[in-house]
Amino acid sequence: MRRFSAEYLEHTRRGMWDDGRDALADLRLPSRERVLDVGCGTGELTRVLAAEASGGESGSDASVVGVDADRDLLAVAREESDDRIGYLAGDATRLPVADGAVDLAVCQALLINLPDPTAAVRELGRVSSDLVAAVEPDNADVRVASTVVAEERLEREAREAYVDGVGTDVALGDRVREAFEAAGVTDLRTRRYVHEKRTEPPYDEPALRSAARKASGAGLADHRAELVAATSEAAYDDLRGRWREMGREVVDAIDAGEYERVEYVPFDVTVGRVRDASERR
Ligand SMILES: C[S@@+](CC[C@H](N)C(=O)[O-])C[C@H]1O[C@@H](n2cnc3c(N)ncnc32)[C@H](O)[C@@H]1O
């Protein structure tokens, strides 16, 4: 299983869903009674689901539960959440939840990390009596605009190699519909949400840390295995040298108060209905 640090998730999700929540409209959160967030990590989406599903049409709060296979991330999720949200350890392909136990089973950035996304969608469909949803990024369609010109070029080069070398479909985006159809989920709808991550003065602590990681090459080294798989040891070393040089330019630009960067990460929100929902109700 691919593992993630709490720091990575907090960094990449910062500001996500602060706006643009209309992309979640097809999840019909105000009318949900029991929601399951699978592969919830530190609970970044789980807390959004709980906020949107609270005091809805039924007038009472929905029950919201997050499931993840990584107990370290679940410990952080529990610390960050209030006691309206429950967390459970479990595998996305064998959920510790009864058939039809929830009326919405959802995941965010889970399927891109699994070798068989259809098997996981089938499992979401098994535990839901009504809706199934996936919020999956298209990492091939990420764009970066930066005042450090080399950053745009190098990030594209590294991203293309990563997408080739990673071994699962991290550019899944709205092609997740194929997995939904194969799993027997119908009435599909997809809306796109673009998460914009801005770095500009005054720089906060995460921005300074991210610049330091560029200059040391640490951020790139996290993906060394995938980059080498897509290219070669020599090509990776060459990229890392150019990457660190770019990182030093970023640090200098920050020192001068002249650095600005925007990253646009597209997430496709796909929602469908389990085929035999009416029979189960
Ligand atoms: C990219 S993170 C996304 C976390 C969270 N949904 C979010 O968007 O912030 C992927 C998550 O899926 C979890 N995961 C990966 N494979 C899993 C599996 N087979 N069963 C349960 N969780 C899994 C990881 O532990 C991680 O928390």
Side-chain angles (χ1 to χ4, degrees), residues 136-142 170-175 192 265-268:
E136 296 295 329
D138 179 350
N139 283 303
D141 213 11
V142 171
V170 295
L172 193 57
D174 63 351
R175 281 183 297 102
R192 178 159 278 204
V265 185
F267 283 81
D268 289 312

Side-chain angles (χ1 to χ4, degrees), residues 87-98:
Y87 288 100
L88 278 178
D91 191 300
T93 57
R94 283 170 287 126
L95 290 168
V97 177

